[in-house]
């Protein structure tokens, strides 16, 4: 019997038009372009400014971009997963709204949140549905409107994050392409170092909480940085070793774009050449669930059928991991 693997067969993306540059941030908080560039690699990020538009707006645009590019009928999509840390609302799934708006009327849908590892973990979920043989068209969207939980007077967080979305379609593959292996981990003792404390079930949002900016994300940057460097590199090494891969047969590293120095450290740990490391943090900053699919979108034209791609991420929780995937198609451009 032929083994069914789960391959990515299409990519879509969307970022909002408004560009928040380091120069503009210099006018908002006590920071400067030199500090931001040398410490993070970020030059600018995109922000969704329109009143009343949330993460679903970004998700819908990215999904529509994929649907147009691939020329698929949205009625054939069976499952829509929106990986996000910033859902539109509580108690109403962003994925359900997204699915309806893109015309995926025969799909079921749900949100999933693993902070900055949401898309990586979502890849595992989407692939499992395909590998089970139950579904043949799974749309995974990574979307976050980070600007909705960022305090633009806190220079430790506002320089890092941006808004955006990316989407991928998973389909069955009989050539052995697609997701090959995964190494995924969590450690809940890390949550105190990166969180938006108020507005959830532990501490509902009150006027008092809002007065101290409790709805915004804060992080103890140095602790998060150290854990990200260690764990992302460790997961990447493990996935290479387990699959007998060396730097020679890795074509690409697609690492979560949180800080250029974390990405460089991961690449250096496996001695990977710079030209194999996907980078777009300078353009978008950290878009949380959208970093990995935005990388795929930016690099899609360079990817070749059979390329070995290592995905890696680290995020709030803490949670992290790495996925080994064989690319399934040559660029249609
Ligand atoms: O997506 C997953 C979650 N997030 C991450 O992975 C982010 C991980 N952390 C980081 O990327 C880095 O820790 C930051 C970029 C957030 C900060 O960089 P850092 O090198 O760890 O800086 P720091 O927080 O240790 O601060 C160094 C100095 C401090 O000044 P003193 O105490 O040395 O005088 C800060 O007050 O830089 C100062 N500083 C700034 N200066 C200018 C902090 N933020 C800024 C800023 N502009 N925006």
């Amino acid at each position: 019997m032929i083994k069914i693997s789960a391959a990515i067969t299409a990519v879509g993306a969307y970022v909002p038009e408004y560009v928040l540059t380091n120069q503009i941030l210099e006018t908002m908080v006590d920071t400067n372009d030199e500090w931001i560039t040398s410490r993070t690699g970020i030059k600018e990020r995109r922000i969704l400014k329109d009143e009343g538009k949330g993460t679903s707006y970004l998700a819908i645009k990215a999904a529509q971009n994929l649907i147009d590019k691939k020329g698929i009928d949205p009625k054939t999509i069976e499952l829509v997963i929106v990986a996000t840390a910033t859902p539109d609302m509580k108690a109403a799934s962003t994925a359900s709204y997204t699915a309806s708006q893109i015309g995926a009327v025969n799909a079921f849908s749900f949100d999933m949140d693993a902070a900055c590892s949401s898309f990586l973990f979502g890849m595992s979920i989407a692939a499992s549905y395909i590998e089970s043989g139950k579904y043949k068209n799974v749309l995974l969207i990574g979307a976050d409107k980070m600007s909705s939980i960022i305090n633009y007077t806190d220079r430790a967080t506002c320089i890092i994050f941006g808004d955006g979305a990316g989407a991928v379609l998973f389909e069955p593959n009989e050539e052995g392409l697609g997701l090959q292996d995964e190494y995924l981990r969590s450690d809940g003792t890390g949550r105190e170092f990166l969180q938006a404390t108020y507005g959830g079930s532990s501490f509902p949002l009150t006027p008092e909480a809002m007065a101290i900016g409790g709805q915004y994300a804060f992080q103890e940057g140095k602790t998060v940085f150290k854990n990200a460097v260690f764990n992302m590199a460790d997961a990447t090494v493990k996935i290479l070793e387990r699959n007998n891969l060396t730097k020679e047969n890795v074509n690409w590293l697609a690492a979560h774009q949180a800080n250029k120095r974390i990405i460089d450290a991961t690449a250096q740990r496996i001695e990977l050449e710079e030209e194999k490391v996907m980078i777009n943090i300078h353009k978008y900053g950290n878009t949380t669930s959208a970093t990995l699919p935005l990388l795929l979108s930016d690099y899609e034209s360079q990817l070749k059928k059979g390329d070995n791609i290592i995905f890696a991420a680290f995020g709030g929780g803490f949670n992290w991991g790495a996925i080994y995937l064989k690319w399934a198609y040559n660029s249609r451009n």
Side-chain angles (χ1 to χ4, degrees), residues 6 19 21-22 40 44 56 86 117 119 139 163 172 175 177 185 192 199 228 233 241 247 251 258 280 297 306 321 327:
V19 181
T21 62
N22 290 351
T40 70
E44 55 191 44
S56 64
T86 54
S117 295
F119 188 84
L139 183 66
D163 302 338
E175 296 176 89
L177 301 170
R185 288 291 180 274
E192 65 184 283
E241 283 174 358
K247 62 173 181 151
N251 299 96
N280 61 13
S297 172
W327 195 245

PDB file of all heavy atoms in Angstrom, residues 6 19 21-22 40 44 56 86 117 119 139 163 172 175 177 185 192 199 228 233 241 247 251 258 280 297 306 321 327:
ATOM      1  N   ALA A   6       1.756  14.308   3.649  1.00  0.00           N
ATOM      2  CA  ALA A   6       1.014  15.574   3.568  1.00  0.00           C
ATOM      3  C   ALA A   6       1.932  16.658   3.022  1.00  0.00           C
ATOM      4  O   ALA A   6       2.903  17.051   3.672  1.00  0.00           O
ATOM      5  CB  ALA A   6       0.500  15.965   4.948  1.00  0.00           C
ATOM      6  N   VAL A  19       3.232  51.058   6.642  1.00  0.00           N
ATOM      7  CA  VAL A  19       4.589  50.649   7.005  1.00  0.00           C
ATOM      8  C   VAL A  19       5.056  51.479   8.209  1.00  0.00           C
ATOM      9  O   VAL A  19       5.155  52.705   8.119  1.00  0.00           O
ATOM     10  CB  VAL A  19       5.569  50.874   5.818  1.00  0.00           C
ATOM     11  CG1 VAL A  19       6.980  50.420   6.201  1.00  0.00           C
ATOM     12  CG2 VAL A  19       5.078  50.135   4.576  1.00  0.00           C
ATOM     13  N   THR A  21       8.049  52.310  10.166  1.00  0.00           N
ATOM     14  CA  THR A  21       9.517  52.218  10.049  1.00  0.00           C
ATOM     15  C   THR A  21      10.181  52.498  11.400  1.00  0.00           C
ATOM     16  O   THR A  21       9.563  53.054  12.319  1.00  0.00           O
ATOM     17  CB  THR A  21      10.043  53.260   9.044  1.00  0.00           C
ATOM     18  OG1 THR A  21       9.708  54.570   9.541  1.00  0.00           O
ATOM     19  CG2 THR A  21       9.442  53.071   7.661  1.00  0.00           C
ATOM     20  N   ASN A  22      11.476  52.158  11.473  1.00  0.00           N
ATOM     21  CA  ASN A  22      12.243  52.490  12.681  1.00  0.00           C
ATOM     22  C   ASN A  22      12.266  53.999  12.893  1.00  0.00           C
ATOM     23  O   ASN A  22      12.235  54.474  14.033  1.00  0.00           O
ATOM     24  CB  ASN A  22      13.676  51.965  12.553  1.00  0.00           C
ATOM     25  CG  ASN A  22      13.730  50.443  12.627  1.00  0.00           C
ATOM     26  OD1 ASN A  22      12.729  49.800  12.940  1.00  0.00           O
ATOM     27  ND2 ASN A  22      14.891  49.883  12.342  1.00  0.00           N
ATOM     28  N   THR A  40      18.015  43.564  16.542  1.00  0.00           N
ATOM     29  CA  THR A  40      16.917  42.684  16.084  1.00  0.00           C
ATOM     30  C   THR A  40      16.947  42.369  14.587  1.00  0.00           C
ATOM     31  O   THR A  40      16.345  41.400  14.148  1.00  0.00           O
ATOM     32  CB  THR A  40      15.532  43.329  16.363  1.00  0.00           C
ATOM     33  OG1 THR A  40      15.359  44.447  15.493  1.00  0.00           O
ATOM     34  CG2 THR A  40      15.392  43.784  17.798  1.00  0.00           C
ATOM     35  N   GLU A  44      11.463  47.629   9.385  1.00  0.00           N
ATOM     36  CA  GLU A  44      10.077  48.108   9.332  1.00  0.00           C
ATOM     37  C   GLU A  44       9.120  46.940   9.565  1.00  0.00           C
ATOM     38  O   GLU A  44       9.502  45.775   9.488  1.00  0.00           O
ATOM     39  CB  GLU A  44       9.787  48.792   7.988  1.00  0.00           C
ATOM     40  CG  GLU A  44      10.076  47.934   6.780  1.00  0.00           C
ATOM     41  CD  GLU A  44      10.028  48.716   5.472  1.00  0.00           C
ATOM     42  OE1 GLU A  44      10.580  49.830   5.416  1.00  0.00           O
ATOM     43  OE2 GLU A  44       9.446  48.198   4.500  1.00  0.00           O
ATOM     44  N   SER A  56      -8.996  38.233  11.352  1.00  0.00           N
ATOM     45  CA  SER A  56      -9.687  37.547  10.250  1.00  0.00           C
ATOM     46  C   SER A  56      -9.504  38.308   8.934  1.00  0.00           C
ATOM     47  O   SER A  56      -9.434  37.699   7.866  1.00  0.00           O
ATOM     48  CB  SER A  56     -11.175  37.382  10.547  1.00  0.00           C
ATOM     49  OG  SER A  56     -11.811  38.642  10.638  1.00  0.00           O
ATOM     50  N   THR A  86      -3.953  36.106  18.384  1.00  0.00           N
ATOM     51  CA  THR A  86      -4.801  37.306  18.499  1.00  0.00           C
ATOM     52  C   THR A  86      -6.120  37.100  17.741  1.00  0.00           C
ATOM     53  O   THR A  86      -6.361  37.731  16.711  1.00  0.00           O
ATOM     54  CB  THR A  86      -4.067  38.545  17.928  1.00  0.00           C
ATOM     55  OG1 THR A  86      -3.630  38.245  16.586  1.00  0.00           O
ATOM     56  CG2 THR A  86      -2.881  38.948  18.779  1.00  0.00           C
ATOM     57  N   SER A 117       4.675  29.693  18.121  1.00  0.00           N
ATOM     58  CA  SER A 117       4.811  28.377  17.481  1.00  0.00           C
ATOM     59  C   SER A 117       3.491  27.903  16.876  1.00  0.00           C
ATOM     60  O   SER A 117       3.375  26.748  16.456  1.00  0.00           O
ATOM     61  CB  SER A 117       5.309  27.341  18.497  1.00  0.00           C
ATOM     62  OG  SER A 117       6.607  27.666  18.932  1.00  0.00           O
ATOM     63  N   PHE A 119       1.898  28.398  14.031  1.00  0.00           N
ATOM     64  CA  PHE A 119       1.898  27.869  12.670  1.00  0.00           C
ATOM     65  C   PHE A 119       2.661  26.547  12.603  1.00  0.00           C
ATOM     66  O   PHE A 119       2.230  25.604  11.931  1.00  0.00           O
ATOM     67  CB  PHE A 119       2.485  28.883  11.682  1.00  0.00           C
ATOM     68  CG  PHE A 119       2.330  28.466  10.246  1.00  0.00           C
ATOM     69  CD1 PHE A 119       1.151  28.717   9.561  1.00  0.00           C
ATOM     70  CD2 PHE A 119       3.334  27.769   9.583  1.00  0.00           C
ATOM     71  CE1 PHE A 119       0.980  28.290   8.250  1.00  0.00           C
ATOM     72  CE2 PHE A 119       3.173  27.342   8.273  1.00  0.00           C
ATOM     73  CZ  PHE A 119       1.998  27.612   7.602  1.00  0.00           C
ATOM     74  N   LEU A 139      -6.648  23.774   4.709  1.00  0.00           N
ATOM     75  CA  LEU A 139      -6.063  25.112   4.591  1.00  0.00           C
ATOM     76  C   LEU A 139      -5.583  25.557   5.967  1.00  0.00           C
ATOM     77  O   LEU A 139      -6.378  25.657   6.903  1.00  0.00           O
ATOM     78  CB  LEU A 139      -7.127  26.091   4.065  1.00  0.00           C
ATOM     79  CG  LEU A 139      -6.661  27.522   3.809  1.00  0.00           C
ATOM     80  CD1 LEU A 139      -5.657  27.593   2.660  1.00  0.00           C
ATOM     81  CD2 LEU A 139      -7.853  28.432   3.501  1.00  0.00           C
ATOM     82  N   ASP A 163       2.034  43.097  11.974  1.00  0.00           N
ATOM     83  CA  ASP A 163       0.816  42.363  11.585  1.00  0.00           C
ATOM     84  C   ASP A 163       1.017  41.682  10.225  1.00  0.00           C
ATOM     85  O   ASP A 163       1.708  42.226   9.348  1.00  0.00           O
ATOM     86  CB  ASP A 163      -0.373  43.321  11.464  1.00  0.00           C
ATOM     87  CG  ASP A 163      -0.640  44.087  12.755  1.00  0.00           C
ATOM     88  OD1 ASP A 163      -0.220  43.612  13.830  1.00  0.00           O
ATOM     89  OD2 ASP A 163      -1.275  45.160  12.679  1.00  0.00           O
ATOM     90  N   PRO A 172      -2.752  15.419   0.018  1.00  0.00           N
ATOM     91  CA  PRO A 172      -2.040  14.127   0.059  1.00  0.00           C
ATOM     92  C   PRO A 172      -1.008  14.030  -1.063  1.00  0.00           C
ATOM     93  O   PRO A 172      -1.216  14.581  -2.140  1.00  0.00           O
ATOM     94  CB  PRO A 172      -3.154  13.095  -0.173  1.00  0.00           C
ATOM     95  CG  PRO A 172      -4.438  13.820  -0.026  1.00  0.00           C
ATOM     96  CD  PRO A 172      -4.177  15.259  -0.292  1.00  0.00           C
ATOM     97  N   GLU A 175       4.319  10.650  -3.569  1.00  0.00           N
ATOM     98  CA  GLU A 175       5.732  10.564  -3.968  1.00  0.00           C
ATOM     99  C   GLU A 175       6.670  10.684  -2.772  1.00  0.00           C
ATOM    100  O   GLU A 175       7.874  10.853  -2.938  1.00  0.00           O
ATOM    101  CB  GLU A 175       6.065  11.699  -4.936  1.00  0.00           C
ATOM    102  CG  GLU A 175       5.329  11.667  -6.257  1.00  0.00           C
ATOM    103  CD  GLU A 175       5.679  12.900  -7.089  1.00  0.00           C
ATOM    104  OE1 GLU A 175       6.654  12.852  -7.849  1.00  0.00           O
ATOM    105  OE2 GLU A 175       4.991  13.925  -6.936  1.00  0.00           O
ATOM    106  N   LEU A 177       6.712  13.209  -0.714  1.00  0.00           N
ATOM    107  CA  LEU A 177       7.033  14.619  -0.442  1.00  0.00           C
ATOM    108  C   LEU A 177       6.147  15.139   0.693  1.00  0.00           C
ATOM    109  O   LEU A 177       5.170  14.499   1.071  1.00  0.00           O
ATOM    110  CB  LEU A 177       6.832  15.451  -1.718  1.00  0.00           C
ATOM    111  CG  LEU A 177       7.677  14.996  -2.909  1.00  0.00           C
ATOM    112  CD1 LEU A 177       7.242  15.708  -4.176  1.00  0.00           C
ATOM    113  CD2 LEU A 177       9.163  15.225  -2.646  1.00  0.00           C
ATOM    114  N   ARG A 185       7.893  20.657  21.354  1.00  0.00           N
ATOM    115  CA  ARG A 185       7.995  20.632  22.812  1.00  0.00           C
ATOM    116  C   ARG A 185       7.321  21.847  23.464  1.00  0.00           C
ATOM    117  O   ARG A 185       7.149  22.887  22.821  1.00  0.00           O
ATOM    118  CB  ARG A 185       9.472  20.633  23.236  1.00  0.00           C
ATOM    119  CG  ARG A 185      10.203  19.330  22.976  1.00  0.00           C
ATOM    120  CD  ARG A 185       9.686  18.214  23.890  1.00  0.00           C
ATOM    121  NE  ARG A 185      10.360  16.948  23.688  1.00  0.00           N
ATOM    122  CZ  ARG A 185      10.019  16.041  22.775  1.00  0.00           C
ATOM    123  NH1 ARG A 185       9.014  16.257  21.950  1.00  0.00           N
ATOM    124  NH2 ARG A 185      10.686  14.907  22.677  1.00  0.00           N
ATOM    125  N   GLU A 192       5.605  33.056  32.531  1.00  0.00           N
ATOM    126  CA  GLU A 192       5.731  34.347  33.235  1.00  0.00           C
ATOM    127  C   GLU A 192       6.643  35.328  32.482  1.00  0.00           C
ATOM    128  O   GLU A 192       6.601  36.528  32.744  1.00  0.00           O
ATOM    129  CB  GLU A 192       6.261  34.132  34.654  1.00  0.00           C
ATOM    130  CG  GLU A 192       7.676  33.586  34.690  1.00  0.00           C
ATOM    131  CD  GLU A 192       8.153  33.279  36.112  1.00  0.00           C
ATOM    132  OE1 GLU A 192       8.490  34.221  36.826  1.00  0.00           O
ATOM    133  OE2 GLU A 192       8.179  32.090  36.471  1.00  0.00           O
ATOM    134  N   GLY A 199      -7.314  39.997  30.395  1.00  0.00           N
ATOM    135  CA  GLY A 199      -8.194  39.830  29.236  1.00  0.00           C
ATOM    136  C   GLY A 199      -8.491  38.371  28.965  1.00  0.00           C
ATOM    137  O   GLY A 199      -9.308  38.038  28.118  1.00  0.00           O
ATOM    138  N   ALA A 228      15.005  30.988  23.573  1.00  0.00           N
ATOM    139  CA  ALA A 228      14.746  30.832  22.136  1.00  0.00           C
ATOM    140  C   ALA A 228      15.992  30.326  21.427  1.00  0.00           C
ATOM    141  O   ALA A 228      15.929  29.379  20.635  1.00  0.00           O
ATOM    142  CB  ALA A 228      14.293  32.161  21.537  1.00  0.00           C
ATOM    143  N   ALA A 233      17.690  26.056  18.385  1.00  0.00           N
ATOM    144  CA  ALA A 233      18.882  25.395  17.841  1.00  0.00           C
ATOM    145  C   ALA A 233      18.860  23.905  18.198  1.00  0.00           C
ATOM    146  O   ALA A 233      19.141  23.047  17.357  1.00  0.00           O
ATOM    147  CB  ALA A 233      20.132  26.069  18.396  1.00  0.00           C
ATOM    148  N   GLU A 241      19.632  15.232  13.088  1.00  0.00           N
ATOM    149  CA  GLU A 241      20.247  13.963  13.492  1.00  0.00           C
ATOM    150  C   GLU A 241      19.299  12.786  13.270  1.00  0.00           C
ATOM    151  O   GLU A 241      19.691  11.753  12.740  1.00  0.00           O
ATOM    152  CB  GLU A 241      20.643  14.023  14.980  1.00  0.00           C
ATOM    153  CG  GLU A 241      21.907  14.833  15.201  1.00  0.00           C
ATOM    154  CD  GLU A 241      22.247  15.023  16.681  1.00  0.00           C
ATOM    155  OE1 GLU A 241      21.483  14.551  17.561  1.00  0.00           O
ATOM    156  OE2 GLU A 241      23.273  15.656  16.942  1.00  0.00           O
ATOM    157  N   LYS A 247      24.280  19.574   6.897  1.00  0.00           N
ATOM    158  CA  LYS A 247      24.029  20.889   6.299  1.00  0.00           C
ATOM    159  C   LYS A 247      24.044  20.816   4.766  1.00  0.00           C
ATOM    160  O   LYS A 247      23.399  21.605   4.098  1.00  0.00           O
ATOM    161  CB  LYS A 247      25.040  21.909   6.798  1.00  0.00           C
ATOM    162  CG  LYS A 247      26.466  21.588   6.436  1.00  0.00           C
ATOM    163  CD  LYS A 247      27.376  22.733   6.816  1.00  0.00           C
ATOM    164  CE  LYS A 247      28.794  22.396   6.414  1.00  0.00           C
ATOM    165  NZ  LYS A 247      29.613  23.519   6.093  1.00  0.00           N
ATOM    166  N   ASN A 251      18.335  22.311   2.237  1.00  0.00           N
ATOM    167  CA  ASN A 251      18.287  23.388   1.239  1.00  0.00           C
ATOM    168  C   ASN A 251      17.910  24.720   1.857  1.00  0.00           C
ATOM    169  O   ASN A 251      18.372  25.772   1.413  1.00  0.00           O
ATOM    170  CB  ASN A 251      17.295  23.045   0.124  1.00  0.00           C
ATOM    171  CG  ASN A 251      17.688  21.787  -0.602  1.00  0.00           C
ATOM    172  OD1 ASN A 251      17.198  20.701  -0.299  1.00  0.00           O
ATOM    173  ND2 ASN A 251      18.614  21.901  -1.547  1.00  0.00           N
ATOM    174  N   ALA A 258      11.816  36.258  14.955  1.00  0.00           N
ATOM    175  CA  ALA A 258      11.602  37.033  16.187  1.00  0.00           C
ATOM    176  C   ALA A 258      12.745  37.996  16.407  1.00  0.00           C
ATOM    177  O   ALA A 258      12.554  39.089  16.936  1.00  0.00           O
ATOM    178  CB  ALA A 258      11.466  36.118  17.383  1.00  0.00           C
ATOM    179  N   ASN A 280      13.066  37.515   6.326  1.00  0.00           N
ATOM    180  CA  ASN A 280      12.268  38.688   5.936  1.00  0.00           C
ATOM    181  C   ASN A 280      11.920  39.549   7.153  1.00  0.00           C
ATOM    182  O   ASN A 280      11.054  40.415   7.076  1.00  0.00           O
ATOM    183  CB  ASN A 280      11.011  38.306   5.133  1.00  0.00           C
ATOM    184  CG  ASN A 280      10.066  37.414   5.917  1.00  0.00           C
ATOM    185  OD1 ASN A 280      10.194  37.260   7.127  1.00  0.00           O
ATOM    186  ND2 ASN A 280       9.093  36.837   5.225  1.00  0.00           N
ATOM    187  N   SER A 297       6.057  32.382   1.279  1.00  0.00           N
ATOM    188  CA  SER A 297       5.549  33.220   0.196  1.00  0.00           C
ATOM    189  C   SER A 297       6.681  34.022  -0.456  1.00  0.00           C
ATOM    190  O   SER A 297       6.796  34.081  -1.678  1.00  0.00           O
ATOM    191  CB  SER A 297       4.479  34.169   0.757  1.00  0.00           C
ATOM    192  OG  SER A 297       4.108  35.101  -0.214  1.00  0.00           O
ATOM    193  N   GLY A 306      11.317  18.710  -4.070  1.00  0.00           N
ATOM    194  CA  GLY A 306      12.309  17.845  -3.416  1.00  0.00           C
ATOM    195  C   GLY A 306      13.222  18.574  -2.448  1.00  0.00           C
ATOM    196  O   GLY A 306      13.970  17.929  -1.702  1.00  0.00           O
ATOM    197  N   GLY A 321       9.928  24.014  18.575  1.00  0.00           N
ATOM    198  CA  GLY A 321      10.132  22.770  17.861  1.00  0.00           C
ATOM    199  C   GLY A 321      10.700  22.970  16.479  1.00  0.00           C
ATOM    200  O   GLY A 321      11.022  24.102  16.073  1.00  0.00           O
ATOM    201  N   TRP A 327       9.750  19.904  -0.024  1.00  0.00           N
ATOM    202  CA  TRP A 327       8.907  20.767  -0.854  1.00  0.00           C
ATOM    203  C   TRP A 327       8.351  19.971  -2.036  1.00  0.00           C
ATOM    204  O   TRP A 327       9.048  19.128  -2.597  1.00  0.00           O
ATOM    205  CB  TRP A 327       9.725  21.969  -1.334  1.00  0.00           C
ATOM    206  CG  TRP A 327       8.860  23.080  -1.872  1.00  0.00           C
ATOM    207  CD1 TRP A 327       8.812  23.530  -3.149  1.00  0.00           C
ATOM    208  CD2 TRP A 327       7.930  23.877  -1.121  1.00  0.00           C
ATOM    209  NE1 TRP A 327       7.900  24.561  -3.250  1.00  0.00           N
ATOM    210  CE2 TRP A 327       7.342  24.789  -2.029  1.00  0.00           C
ATOM    211  CE3 TRP A 327       7.527  23.900   0.215  1.00  0.00           C
ATOM    212  CZ2 TRP A 327       6.375  25.715  -1.630  1.00  0.00           C
ATOM    213  CZ3 TRP A 327       6.574  24.817   0.607  1.00  0.00           C
ATOM    214  CH2 TRP A 327       6.012  25.715  -0.315  1.00  0.00           C
TER     215      TRP A 327
END
